[in-house]
Amino acid sequence: MTASIKDVARAAGVSPATVSRALGKGPVSEALRAQVMEAVRVTGYRPNLAARRLRSQESGTIGLILADIGNPFFTGVARAVEAAAYEAGLRVLLCNTDEDPEREASYLALMQEERVTGLILAPTRATADRLAEAPPAMPVVLIDRPGPPGLFDSVLLDNAAASAALVDHLVAQGYRRIAGLFGQTSGTGVERAEGYRAAMARHGLAPSWRFVLPQAEAAEAGFAALSQEGRPEAVLASNSLLLMGTLQAVRAKGLRIPADLALAGFDNEPWTGLVEPGVTVIEQPLAEIGRQAMALLFERLRAPDAPVRKVMLSGRAILRGSTAPRRVLASML
């Protein structure tokens, strides 16, 4: 395996930050620099040329603008980005927008003022549309949310396929009146809604859905609106906050899961396996999203004129009791 900067730090008995300073001709003593260089020789470490280029440009800081740091999905991605940046001896400037396009515009301006050398961004739909008209001056990698086609490197989940897989599972379990709640501020919510509607049409079923703010409180109101059309047999929620809000609404009405209503959604948060019954979810590869975003950023800095790349990842279905077969339930009642 290729040696890392952490391996060099362990061999030299110093911190990774000290190794970065020594290799980058930072303020360390000549004795300490010699100690680090000997560790480099022993471990066979080869510096990442793209990371070195990052450090040599502008501030040596990566910008990370996320839509909602309160959403555990983005917390997990942020940890992966920070870990990869730390490994490369870089800093991360993190901004949270709460799905507000005005805050996104403000933070994009801040990133340019701070002269960050690269930016990882999860944009709202409004900001994604504006990026085509006014692209940032620094290299950009989009995560989780699609942007203008062919303009920016991106790391995305195959959202339509994942949403359709949940519908297919629910249909196979005997459910027919399947409703959906989807986040209205992002392209992700739109893609998951499209996958849901396509799967429902393929099965000859009538869709029933609502676009809502990606918040637990909004999911409760959305579930109430769906129920006015006739209570569904199952609900699909497009992120963990909507999933939690739907569960709260179901319990507030005294409904049983899955006897009265099946529930499925996205993001394998710890609580989804701790509640009774456990909730069926699509688990997203959070760490891989962060690693791939940093890898694309490094590649863009190494080859600024290379073709735009889109990395499409797949989710993993984790099936739990919230979507138990409807035929079995009927026989038990």
Side-chain angles (χ1 to χ4, degrees):
M1 294 179 63
T2 302
S4 70
I5 199 169
K6 290 181 181 178
D7 297 323
V8 176
R10 282 193 291 269
V14 299
S15 70
T18 298
V19 174
S20 295
R21 287 195 296 271
L23 295 178
K25 303 188 184 303
V28 299
S29 69
E30 288 306 313
L32 186 54
R33 195 184 311 279
Q35 181 178 332
V36 169
M37 295 310 296
E38 175 61 18
V40 168
R41 186 190 67 78
V42 169
T43 60
Y45 172 69
R46 293 181 178 276
N48 185 312
L49 296 180
R52 177 181 289 176
R53 181 174 179 180
L54 267 173
R55 286 191 294 271
S56 70
Q57 295 177 7
E58 311 299 348
S59 63
T61 300
I62 297 298
L64 178 60
I65 301 179
L66 298 180
D68 181 4
I69 199 64
N71 183 331
F73 167 80
F74 289 115
T75 305
V77 171
R79 287 179 64 88
V81 169
E82 189 279 333
Y86 180 79
E87 179 70 20
L90 304 169
R91 300 172 296 175
V92 175
L93 177 59
L94 170 63
C95 295
N96 170 64
T97 68
D98 280 340
E99 304 278 4
D100 182 348
E102 291 186 7
R103 288 177 67 172
E104 282 179 321
S106 174
Y107 287 139
L108 283 169
L110 172 66
M111 295 300 175
Q112 297 194 109
E113 292 170 5
E114 293 293 326
R115 302 177 68 81
V116 299
T117 47
L119 175 64
I120 297 173
L121 169 65
T124 61
R125 292 168 63 188
T127 294
D129 291 340
R130 287 201 297 265
L131 288 176
E133 302 170 3
M138 74 288 291
V140 174
V141 175
L142 302 182
I143 56 171
D144 185 53
R145 280 96 183 272
L151 289 186
F152 300 102
D153 298 313
S154 58
V155 182
L156 307 171
L157 186 76
D158 192 342
N159 289 300
S163 192
L166 287 178
V167 172
D168 291 342
H169 167 67
L170 288 166
V171 171
Q173 298 292 81
Y175 299 95
R176 295 297 179 265
R177 296 196 307 276
I178 303 169
L181 288 173
F182 302 96
Q184 70 183 30
T185 59
S186 71
T188 297
V190 172
E191 290 180 344
R192 291 176 184 175
E194 290 173 350
Y196 158 81
R197 291 198 293 265
M200 292 291 283
R202 178 160 39 82
H203 290 289
L205 301 175
S208 175
W209 75 93
R210 288 286 186 280
F211 281 108
V212 298
L213 291 173
Q215 303 165 353
E217 299 79 6
E220 295 184 46
F223 176 73
L226 289 172
S227 297
Q228 289 177 357
E229 303 171 1
R231 195 178 77 211
E233 296 173 352
V235 173
L236 187 162
S238 71
N239 69 33
S240 62
L241 298 180
L242 294 181
L243 189 62
M244 181 184 297
T246 304
L247 177 61
Q248 291 169 340
V250 169
R251 288 186 169 176
K253 290 184 175 297
L255 301 176
R256 299 164 299 166
I257 296 176
D260 297 317
L261 183 100
L263 183 61
F266 283 77
D267 301 326
N268 187 31
E269 298 307 321
W271 68 265
T272 62
L274 295 176
V275 296
E276 183 59 39
V279 181
T280 290
V281 293
I282 295 291
E283 181 180 58
Q284 302 191 71
L286 306 186
E288 185 66 12
I289 291 171
R291 285 195 297 268
Q292 289 282 1
M294 285 297 292
L296 286 182
L297 193 56
F298 285 160
E299 290 175 18
R300 179 57 52 194
L301 285 153
R302 183 185 296 115
D305 299 322
V308 170
R309 289 188 57 194
K310 178 168 71 172
V311 176
M312 187 71 76
L313 303 177
S314 298
R316 180 170 70 101
I318 299 180
L319 308 180
R320 298 189 175 113
S322 69
T323 57
R326 187 168 177 76
R327 293 178 296 276
V328 173
L329 293 171
S331 67
M332 295 173 61
L333 296 177

